């Protein structure tokens, strides 16, 4: 049985055929075979999207053989599209290089991450798509092309797999650097009052609000000249594995059985938070361990609306009396010029809501979604949402241009699937 199931277990499909191409030529052959037989074809990543963006009922291409750092220069690195981010980090570090910014999950493939608009948090440097300088892509007619500027480049960097299949990505990189990480509990009300200062003073600001409490865990990461002062092995295990995964997973399991206890559980969690500081290689600071399975919704809104949106989200949770174990995560990015980047054309703030996988709460997601869409929110392409093409056309200035380019490049919809039929029309 060839069933594909995503990491969260909420999306699955059994394609007619699975192939594992090892070159752009083999990808092109699969695309041509799909077109001739009237089937659809898509390349999956590692299944870290919560939406059905990776699913296909025809020919599913798996990324496992299309991997490796192919070439590097002083300020660039060409990477095969199926390479997991953790491999890219390790290989670049061996060469004395690093990506300027990234998210906290490293299991994703390079292509899967940029096609869904994966981002970290950054005052000056945007998401992965904003660090791309060249794409190698297989189009619907089987043509292998390389682009570094123009409409196809601007559209395909966050292309949802709708314009073609990426086979290699060239990133802008820089010499390896250290980050100084400060983690500190702060009051929710205090963060709201100082958001402008916090975002202006820190290169990478990320904070988590624990529902039913007035406590946030703020993470402030800034470049450091050194020396390195990494967290010791025991402290790293205690904070990142035991407390944030083992104990947190147990708390989620208790909350699933006794929802009424969740506010008290969150209160205890908030009381256990403490300040810490370390200096380490950039990707070790950016990256986190995530073992507790969850479902997620995330929206990007204009940066200037963040304070009001957070207040309304907090008030909604309290008014509806939802019992929420997972923190609400907040990040920021500068404007992007990738057409379907959630940060296109505006400084953006991200509000991400999570729920424990065994206890989904659609009403919570829908309620927060209603709040964030009133601010012109754009849903993360790989995270749960209910938006369609009619709505998305109102919040993406280049949406019509993207659809027109898709009509030109893939009129037979070789690359479509049910998810794209909804979000692109």
């Amino acid at each position: 049985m060839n069933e594909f199931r995503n990491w969260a277990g909420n999306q699955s499909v059994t394609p007619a055929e699975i192939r594992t191409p090892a070159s752009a030529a083999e990808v092109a052959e699969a695309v041509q075979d799909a077109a001739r037989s009237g089937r659809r074809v898509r390349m999956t990543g590692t299944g870290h999207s919560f939406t059905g963006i990776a699913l296909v009922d025809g020919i599913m291409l798996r990324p496992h053989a299309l991997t490796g750092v192919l070439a590097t220069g002083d300020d660039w690195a060409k990477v095969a599209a199926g390479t997991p981010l953790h491999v890219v980090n390790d290989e670049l570090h061996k060469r004395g290089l690093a990506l300027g910014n990234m998210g906290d999950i490293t299991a994703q493939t390079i292509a899967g991450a940029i096609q869904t608009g994966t981002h970290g948090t950054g005052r000056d440097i945007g998401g992965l798509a904003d660090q791309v300088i060249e794409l190698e892509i297989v189009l619907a007619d089987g043509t292998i092309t390389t682009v570094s500027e123009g409409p196809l480049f601007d559209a395909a960097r966050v292309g949802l797999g709708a314009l073609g299949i990426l086979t290699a990505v060239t990133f802008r990189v820089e010499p390896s650097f250290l980050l100084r990480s400060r983690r500190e509990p702060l009051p929710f009300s205090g963060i709201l009052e100082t958001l402008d200062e916090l975002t202006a003073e820190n290169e990478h600001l990320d904070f988590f609000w624990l529902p039913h409490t007035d406590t946030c865990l703020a993470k402030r990461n800034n470049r450091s000249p050194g020396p390195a002062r990494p967290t010791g092995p025991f402290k790293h295990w205690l904070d990142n594995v035991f407390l944030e995964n083992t104990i947190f997973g147990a708390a989620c399991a208790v909350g699933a059985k006794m929802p009424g206890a969740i506010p008290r559980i969150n209160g205890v969690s908030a009381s256990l938070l403490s300040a810490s500081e370390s200096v380490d290689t950039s990707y070790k600071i950016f990256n986190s361990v995530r073992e507790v399975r969850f479902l997620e919704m995330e929206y990007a809104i204009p940066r200037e609306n963040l304070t009001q949106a957070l207040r309304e989200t907090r008030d909604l949770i309290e008014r509806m009396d939802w019992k929420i174990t997972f923190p609400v995560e907040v990040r920021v990015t500068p404007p992007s010029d990738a057409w379907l980047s959630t940060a296109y054309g505006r400084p953006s703030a991200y509000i991400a809501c999570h729920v424990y996988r065994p206890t989904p709460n659609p009403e919570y997601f829908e309620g927060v979604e209603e709040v964030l869409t009133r601010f012109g929110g754009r849903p993360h392409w790989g995270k749960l949402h209910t938006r369609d093409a009619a709505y998305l056309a109102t919040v993406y200035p280049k949406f019509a241009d993207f659809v027109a380019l898709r009509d030109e490049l893939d009129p037979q919809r070789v690359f479509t699937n049910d998810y794209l039929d909804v979000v692109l029309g």
Side-chain angles (χ1 to χ4, degrees):
M1 186 174 179
N2 292 326
E3 183 185 50
F4 170 83
R5 186 173 292 272
N6 69 342
W7 175 82
N10 68 313
Q11 302 286 349
S12 63
V13 70
T14 301
E17 182 182 354
I18 292 179
R19 299 188 190 182
T20 309
S23 66
E26 291 182 8
V27 172
E29 181 182 2
V31 171
Q32 291 167 337
D33 288 348
R36 279 193 296 266
S37 61
R39 292 183 288 176
R40 300 185 289 188
V41 58
R42 290 180 70 75
M43 175 86 83
T44 66
T46 52
H48 273 263
S49 289
F50 301 91
T51 63
I53 192 169
L55 306 185
V56 66
D57 55 5
I59 301 176
M60 175 177 283
L61 305 182
R62 299 311 315 273
H64 313 304
L66 203 63
T67 63
V69 175
L70 305 176
T72 59
D74 291 340
D75 59 357
W76 60 271
K78 184 176 182 180
V79 181
T83 313
L85 278 162
H86 65 87
V87 174
V88 174
N89 287 335
D90 290 340
E91 291 300 315
L92 289 182
H93 186 61
K94 291 176 185 176
R95 295 163 170 80
L97 300 170
L99 291 165
N101 191 13
M102 59 189 311
D104 62 352
I105 303 297
T106 61
Q108 298 161 290
T109 62
I110 282 292
I114 68 168
Q115 288 295 275
T116 56
T118 292
H119 62 91
T121 185
R123 181 189 63 198
D124 308 311
I125 301 176
L128 286 173
D130 297 301
Q131 298 167 69
V132 173
I133 57 176
E134 187 175 83
L135 297 172
E136 180 183 270
I137 185 171
V138 177
L139 303 177
D141 61 0
T143 302
I144 303 170
T145 189
T146 300
V147 291
S148 57
E149 59 183 1
L152 179 56
F153 179 68
D154 290 335
R157 275 182 288 155
V158 184
L160 318 184
L163 303 178
I165 295 176
L166 298 188
T167 49
V169 180
T170 303
F171 287 98
R172 181 186 309 108
V173 297
E174 54 184 289
S176 294
F177 59 95
L178 297 172
L179 283 175
R180 174 174 173 257
S181 175
R182 289 181 58 201
R183 296 158 55 106
E184 181 183 11
L186 296 172
F188 182 85
S189 53
I191 277 190
L192 293 188
E193 292 168 1
T194 58
L195 264 177
D196 290 339
E197 291 87 346
L198 284 170
T199 54
E201 293 170 358
N202 294 283
E203 293 176 81
H204 307 279
L205 173 69
D206 186 5
F207 68 88
F208 300 79
W209 167 57
L210 271 170
H212 317 297
T213 79
D214 189 47
T215 301
C216 297
L217 176 64
K219 298 182 179 180
R220 288 174 275 193
N221 300 329
N222 294 282
R223 297 196 183 212
S224 170
R229 289 183 286 107
T231 302
F234 176 76
K235 177 66 171 171
H236 180 272
W237 172 84
L238 181 66
D239 288 344
N240 296 279
V241 178
F242 186 67
L243 292 178
E244 293 188 7
N245 288 278
T246 306
I247 293 299
F248 180 64
C252 289
V254 171
K257 294 180 179 179
M258 295 185 292
I262 288 173
R264 293 195 300 277
I265 292 171
N266 286 9
V268 171
S269 297
S271 69
L272 293 175
L273 295 175
S274 60
S276 64
E277 186 173 305
S278 63
V279 179
D280 209 343
T281 306
S282 59
Y283 72 88
K284 295 180 181 178
I285 296 293
F286 285 136
N287 303 155
S288 301
V289 178
R290 294 285 181 265
E291 295 178 349
V292 180
R293 304 279 168 144
F294 56 85
L295 299 172
E296 182 177 0
M297 180 190 74
E298 181 180 60
Y299 267 76
I301 60 173
R303 166 66 187 82
E304 64 266 22
N305 298 133
L306 176 58
T307 297
Q308 182 62 26
L310 283 172
R311 284 198 177 103
E312 292 192 24
T313 298
R314 178 196 58 190
D315 293 346
L316 176 68
I317 292 172
E318 292 178 356
R319 185 170 67 251
M320 299 305 294
D321 199 28
W322 292 318
K323 300 298 188 287
I324 308 298
T325 49
F326 265 82
V328 173
E329 183 177 15
V330 179
R331 293 176 285 179
V332 295
T333 63
S336 170
D337 58 3
W339 287 0
L340 292 190
S341 166
T342 47
Y344 179 82
R346 66 192 192 192
S348 296
Y350 293 83
I351 296 178
C353 300
H354 311 69
V355 293
Y356 186 43
R357 176 65 186 92
T359 56
N361 190 336
E363 289 185 357
Y364 170 43
F365 282 2
E366 290 168 8
V368 177
E369 187 175 43
E370 192 278 328
V371 170
L372 301 180
T373 53
R374 284 193 278 104
F375 295 103
R378 299 167 180 165
H380 189 299
W381 298 107
K383 299 177 183 180
L384 295 173
H385 65 90
T386 65
R387 300 299 91 186
D388 61 13
Y391 171 83
L392 295 165
T394 68
V395 294
Y396 282 98
K398 302 294 284 186
F399 190 86
D401 298 287
F402 186 96
V403 171
L405 185 59
R406 183 192 188 207
D407 289 340
E408 175 188 339
L409 294 176
D410 186 16
Q412 297 181 12
R413 298 294 189 261
V414 174
F415 298 126
T416 198
N417 64 6
D418 292 346
Y419 177 77
L420 294 186
D421 289 345
V422 172
V423 298
L424 296 179

